[in-house]
Coordinates of all heavy atoms in Angstrom, one line a residue:
N464 N -4.8 7.5 -16.4 CA -4.7 6.1 -16.6 C -5.4 5.7 -17.9 O -4.8 5.0 -18.7 CB -5.4 5.3 -15.5 CG -4.4 4.9 -14.4 OD1 -3.6 4.1 -14.5 ND2 -4.5 5.6 -13.2
L476 N -8.3 -1.1 -16.7 CA -9.2 -1.8 -15.7 C -9.6 -0.8 -14.6 O -8.9 0.1 -14.3 CB -8.4 -2.9 -15.0 CG -7.6 -3.9 -15.9 CD1 -6.9 -4.9 -15.0 CD2 -8.5 -4.6 -16.9
Q513 N -12.5 -5.8 -4.3 CA -11.6 -6.5 -3.3 C -12.4 -7.2 -2.2 O -11.9 -8.2 -1.7 CB -10.7 -5.4 -2.7 CG -9.7 -4.9 -3.7 CD -8.6 -4.1 -3.1 OE1 -8.8 -3.4 -2.1 NE2 -7.4 -4.2 -3.6
H516 N -12.6 -10.9 -2.5 CA -11.3 -11.7 -2.7 C -10.4 -11.8 -1.5 O -9.2 -11.9 -1.6 CB -10.5 -11.0 -3.9 CG -11.3 -11.1 -5.2 ND1 -11.3 -12.2 -5.9 CD2 -12.0 -10.2 -5.8 CE1 -12.1 -12.0 -7.0 NE2 -12.5 -10.8 -6.9
A522 N -4.3 -16.0 1.3 CA -3.3 -16.9 0.8 C -1.9 -16.2 0.7 O -0.9 -16.8 1.0 CB -3.7 -17.4 -0.6
G531 N 8.3 -16.7 7.5 CA 8.7 -16.3 8.9 C 8.9 -14.7 9.0 O 9.6 -14.2 9.8
G541 N -3.3 3.2 21.8 CA -2.9 3.7 23.1 C -1.6 3.1 23.6 O -0.7 3.7 24.2
R545 N 1.8 5.0 24.5 CA 2.5 4.9 25.8 C 3.9 4.4 25.7 O 4.8 4.9 26.4 CB 1.7 4.0 26.7 CG 0.6 4.7 27.5 CD -0.1 3.8 28.5 NE -0.8 2.7 27.9 CZ -2.0 2.7 27.4 NH1 -2.6 3.9 27.3 NH2 -2.5 1.6 26.9
T546 N 4.1 3.4 24.8 CA 5.5 2.9 24.7 C 6.5 4.0 24.2 O 7.6 4.1 24.6 CB 5.6 1.7 23.7 OG1 4.6 0.8 24.1 CG2 6.9 1.1 23.6
R550 N 9.0 10.9 23.6 CA 10.2 11.0 22.9 C 10.0 11.6 21.6 O 9.4 11.1 20.7 CB 10.8 9.6 22.7 CG 11.7 9.2 23.9 CD 12.1 7.7 23.8 NE 11.0 6.9 24.3 CZ 11.0 5.6 24.5 NH1 12.2 5.0 24.3 NH2 10.0 4.9 24.9
D558 N 4.7 8.9 6.0 CA 3.4 9.5 6.2 C 3.3 10.3 7.5 O 2.3 10.7 8.0 CB 2.2 8.5 6.2 CG 1.9 8.0 4.8 OD1 2.3 8.7 3.9 OD2 1.1 7.1 4.7
Y563 N 6.2 1.7 14.5 CA 5.8 0.8 15.5 C 7.0 0.3 16.3 O 8.0 -0.1 15.8 CB 5.1 -0.4 14.8 CG 4.7 -1.5 15.9 CD1 3.8 -1.2 16.9 CD2 5.3 -2.7 15.8 CE1 3.5 -2.1 17.9 CE2 5.0 -3.7 16.8 CZ 4.1 -3.4 17.8 OH 3.8 -4.3 18.8
S575 N 2.4 -15.6 22.2 CA 1.6 -15.1 21.1 C 0.4 -16.0 20.8 O -0.7 -15.5 20.7 CB 2.5 -14.9 19.9 OG 1.7 -14.6 18.8
R578 N -2.1 -15.6 23.7 CA -2.9 -14.3 23.7 C -3.9 -14.3 22.5 O -4.9 -13.7 22.6 CB -1.9 -13.1 23.5 CG -1.4 -12.7 24.9 CD -0.8 -11.3 24.8 NE -1.8 -10.3 24.7 CZ -1.5 -9.0 24.7 NH1 -0.3 -8.6 24.8 NH2 -2.5 -8.1 24.6
D582 N -7.3 -12.3 22.7 CA -7.2 -10.9 22.3 C -7.2 -10.7 20.7 O -6.6 -11.6 20.1 CB -6.0 -10.2 22.8 CG -6.0 -10.2 24.3 OD1 -7.1 -10.1 24.9 OD2 -4.9 -10.3 24.9
A612 N 11.9 5.8 -18.2 CA 12.0 5.3 -16.8 C 13.3 5.7 -16.2 O 14.3 5.8 -16.8 CB 11.9 3.8 -16.8
V615 N 14.5 3.9 -9.3 CA 14.4 4.5 -8.0 C 14.8 3.5 -6.9 O 14.3 2.3 -7.0 CB 12.9 5.0 -7.7 CG1 12.8 5.6 -6.3 CG2 12.5 6.1 -8.7
Y636 N -4.3 -2.4 2.9 CA -4.1 -1.8 1.5 C -2.9 -2.4 0.9 O -3.0 -2.9 -0.3 CB -4.0 -0.3 1.7 CG -3.3 0.3 0.5 CD1 -3.9 0.3 -0.8 CD2 -2.0 0.9 0.6 CE1 -3.3 0.9 -1.9 CE2 -1.4 1.5 -0.5 CZ -2.0 1.5 -1.7 OH -1.4 2.0 -2.8
H637 N -1.8 -2.5 1.6 CA -0.5 -3.0 0.9 C -0.6 -4.4 0.4 O -0.3 -4.6 -0.8 CB 0.6 -3.0 1.9 CG 1.0 -1.6 2.4 ND1 1.3 -0.5 1.6 CD2 1.1 -1.1 3.7 CE1 1.6 0.5 2.4 NE2 1.4 0.2 3.6
D651 N 1.4 -1.5 -15.4 CA 1.7 -0.1 -15.1 C 0.8 0.5 -14.1 O -0.4 0.6 -14.3 CB 1.5 0.8 -16.4 CG 2.6 0.4 -17.4 OD1 2.5 -0.6 -18.1 OD2 3.6 1.2 -17.5
L672 N 7.0 -12.4 -2.4 CA 5.9 -13.3 -2.9 C 6.2 -13.7 -4.4 O 5.4 -14.3 -5.0 CB 4.6 -12.6 -2.9 CG 4.0 -12.3 -1.5 CD1 2.9 -11.3 -1.5 CD2 3.5 -13.6 -0.8
K695 N -11.0 13.8 0.5 CA -12.4 13.8 0.9 C -12.5 14.7 2.2 O -13.6 15.2 2.4 CB -12.9 12.4 1.1 CG -13.0 11.7 -0.2 CD -13.2 10.2 0.1 CE -12.9 9.5 -1.2 NZ -12.0 8.3 -1.0
G709 N -23.5 22.4 -13.2 CA -23.5 22.7 -14.6 C -22.2 22.5 -15.4 O -22.2 22.9 -16.5
A725 N 2.2 20.0 -8.2 CA 3.0 19.1 -7.3 C 3.6 18.0 -8.0 O 3.0 17.1 -8.5 CB 2.1 18.5 -6.2

Side-chain angles (χ1 to χ4, degrees):
N464 268 287
L476 312 179
Q513 291 190 324
H516 296 281
R545 271 188 297 281
T546 307
R550 269 169 285 188
D558 282 348
Y563 175 62
S575 172
R578 279 198 70 178
D582 296 331
V615 175
Y636 159 65
H637 296 306
D651 290 78
L672 293 164
K695 287 166 202 134

